[in-house]
Amino acid sequence: MPAQPLELILARQFGDSLGMPCFLVDPDGNLLFYNEAAETIFGLRFGETGGMRVEEWATVFTPTDGDGNPIVPEDLPLVKTITTKSPAFGSFYIDSLKGDRIHITVSSFPIMGRPNRFLGSMAMFWKTDAL
């Protein structure tokens, strides 16, 4: 794996120190890291999965709306951030690897290097009560 920019290394360190679930992706959406708090929701330790290509991890958790309909990737906050390089926010359901259907709220933001280099995105999320 090629060396990562300092900003992504620092973002991973920051995410690792958070008690709030978070994950980090590169500009193509490939998963670089998720923290211990996210492991409890996902049901899988990062040490067991390591990084994953977007095609792998995007299908693992199956984002759906309140009626169980799949959410198109373009409507997910993290994909919006990757596409627009702007913060995004949203709520939806995921299926954990334990088989639980969990309602989460997600805030994502771009990781920018100097001078104005888009390096990836970080998403923080939390369990919420369904509306």
Side-chain angles (χ1 to χ4, degrees):
M1 178 173 231
Q4 293 182 346
L6 178 61
E7 294 87 348
L8 290 180
I9 294 168
L10 293 173
R12 179 178 173 149
Q13 282 297 120
F14 174 66
D16 196 37
S17 69
L18 291 175
M20 170 181 272
C22 76
F23 55 101
L24 181 66
V25 298
D26 70 13
D28 297 320
N30 298 313
L31 182 67
L32 300 175
F33 174 73
Y34 59 88
N35 67 2
E36 188 175 331
E39 291 174 352
T40 62
I41 291 177
F42 294 157
L44 192 62
R45 296 181 50 80
F46 182 74
E48 297 169 4
T49 65
M52 288 187 269
R53 295 185 48 79
V54 67
E55 296 84 6
E56 296 173 67
W57 77 263
T59 59
V60 172
F61 305 110
T62 317
T64 59
D65 64 19
D67 296 324
N69 301 311
I71 297 176
V72 295
E74 295 78 22
D75 290 339
L76 296 171
L78 190 60
V79 175
K80 288 180 183 179
T81 295
I82 292 168
T83 304
T84 66
K85 299 175 183 63
S86 298
F89 174 83
S91 294
F92 51 90
Y93 289 87
I94 61 167
D95 295 328
S96 78
L97 296 177
K98 297 178 207 172
D100 300 323
R101 187 168 189 239
I102 302 167
H103 190 252
I104 62 171
T105 298
V106 179
S107 289
S108 62
F109 54 90
I111 305 293
M112 302 299 289
R114 305 246 186 240
N116 205 23
R117 291 180 313 146
F118 178 63
L119 301 172
S121 301
M122 180 176 272
M124 295 182 198
F125 60 99
W126 54 97
K127 288 184 187 181
T128 53
D129 293 328
L131 299 175

